[in-house]
Amino acid sequence: MDPLAELNLLVEQWDEQDDARRIRMRPRTIGEYFAVEQPLLKPLPDEPFDTIRTFALRVDRHSRISVRTNCYSVPVRFIGRRVWAVLHANELVVYDGSTEIARHERLIAKGGERLVLDHYLEALVRKPGALPGATALEQAKAAGKFTPVHDAWWAVACKARATAAAPGP
């Protein structure tokens, strides 16, 4: 069974148990009190409740945007440009106009950084030596996202850079 469905089933069971509960020595259960109160409640609004926040942001020189005290990476080609960030309950989606350019799991704690290694590959082609100390590399390795493809790409980039830097005949 889906974990969310299991959780919803548990919540239903807890609601039923709570409906049968009495608070101290009161003569009725919580469910009985609610049955009296329910007809007096106003109906829910017809329009949907939007649970997102939208931000217009400029990408900094480190290819990041700052949203509510946390930093998230975007591809380096967007440095200096204005982008839209849509903050959902569990994720952040970044757009250049109507084109999605990045998607991150939302950070909850303050002062965090979520960097995606692939966002920096364009810059690392020019500076492959920057990869070993990169925060994006550490996060990719920690998350198990530094793949053999990344490793092969790095080797090719380093070789190409060394060939370009070698003195001519």
Side-chain angles (χ1 to χ4, degrees):
M1 181 183 261
D2 174 33
L4 186 57
E6 285 183 42
L7 180 60
N8 284 331
L9 187 60
L10 280 173
V11 170
E12 278 184 43
Q13 291 171 357
W14 295 332
D15 278 346
E16 289 172 10
Q17 291 170 0
D18 203 42
D19 280 347
R21 187 171 59 91
R22 290 183 192 273
I23 298 175
R24 294 193 182 101
M25 301 300 288
R26 295 192 181 166
R28 296 183 185 160
T29 65
I30 290 174
E32 291 168 337
Y33 279 115
F34 182 68
V36 171
E37 185 178 343
Q38 189 173 16
L40 306 173
L41 297 174
K42 290 186 175 185
L44 293 173
D46 291 331
E47 66 273 357
F49 178 73
D50 206 0
T51 60
I52 63 169
R53 294 208 49 200
T54 304
F55 303 88
L57 305 162
R58 185 167 306 280
V59 180
D60 72 12
R61 65 188 181 100
H62 300 290
S63 192
R64 300 174 310 183
I65 56 171
S66 180
V67 178
R68 299 186 63 130
T69 74
N70 291 312
C71 290
Y72 300 88
S73 66
V74 299
V76 294
R77 66 183 167 277
F78 296 99
I79 290 175
R81 293 185 48 187
R82 289 193 75 69
V83 295
W84 290 98
V86 180
L87 186 63
H88 299 269
N90 298 318
E91 69 180 353
L92 175 83
V93 185
V94 185
Y95 296 92
D96 177 40
S98 61
T99 304
E100 181 181 318
I101 60 170
R103 182 177 293 263
H104 295 276
E105 182 179 336
R106 181 179 177 178
L107 292 165
I108 302 302
K110 292 182 177 183
E113 243 184 353
R114 174 100 358 119
L115 308 177
V116 174
L117 181 61
D118 289 356
H119 291 164
Y120 296 95
L121 294 181
E122 294 171 40
L124 291 170
V125 166
R126 295 187 306 273
K127 298 179 181 181
L131 185 60
T135 303
L137 173 62
E138 297 306 316
Q139 288 186 5
K141 284 182 175 179
K145 294 182 179 178
F146 189 76
T147 66
V149 172
H150 288 103
D151 204 21
W153 174 88
W154 185 22
V156 169
C158 287
K159 184 178 178 183
R161 186 73 174 158
T163 303

